[in-house]
Structure formats: C-alpha cells, structure tokens
Amino acid sequence: MHLSRIRIENFRNFKLLDVELAGNIVVGGENRVGKTNLLYALRLIFDPTVNGGAKPGHAPEQKSATVAHA
C-alpha cells in the first residue's frame, strides 16, 4: 500500500496536520511533539483490533479518517 497524503484533524495534539507524501518517510522530532500520536492515528485507521484506546475515565476518541491512496 502506498499513502500519498495524511490528514489528521482534532486528534490529540494535532489541531490540523495535512501532509502530502512521496517516497520513504522518516518521522523524527523533539520529545512531546506528536510522533507517537501520528503513528497511533495511523494505527487507528489500519488496525481493526484498536478500539479507540480510551484511557480510564475518558470517553473513546471518535474514529474517522480519509486516507488518500496513489
């Protein structure tokens, strides 16, 4: 599978992330900038065993996404 774009809106620390992709992608950055949240957002879409990962005492996050394939 080839992803051509990732768009995340109102998910954890992302108000809006909209990135067009090409070739191989490396995710890097300082601590606490959202690297794990980005990977978790993708996992929510592609892994049917993930149920929203609500933390105890929190409501499950809505699972909705648009994935663009080339």
Side-chain angles (χ1 to χ4, degrees):
M1 175 186 305
H2 172 82
L3 297 178
S4 60
R5 182 177 180 188
I6 297 174
R7 180 181 168 91
I8 300 173
E9 189 171 342
N10 296 323
F11 179 77
R12 295 191 174 183
N13 66 309
F14 295 110
K15 182 174 181 175
L16 176 63
L17 172 72
D18 193 356
V19 180
E20 294 204 21
L21 307 173
N24 296 324
I25 305 300
V26 175
V27 177
E30 299 283 331
N31 291 338
R32 301 182 52 90
V33 296
K35 297 177 302 285
T36 301
N37 288 340
L38 170 64
L39 297 176
Y40 187 68
L42 294 172
R43 186 170 175 221
L44 278 172
I45 295 166
F46 293 111
D47 185 348
T49 65
V50 177
N51 65 3
K55 296 177 183 174
H58 294 81
E61 298 179 43
Q62 290 186 343
K63 185 175 177 180
S64 170
T66 302
V67 178
H69 300 278

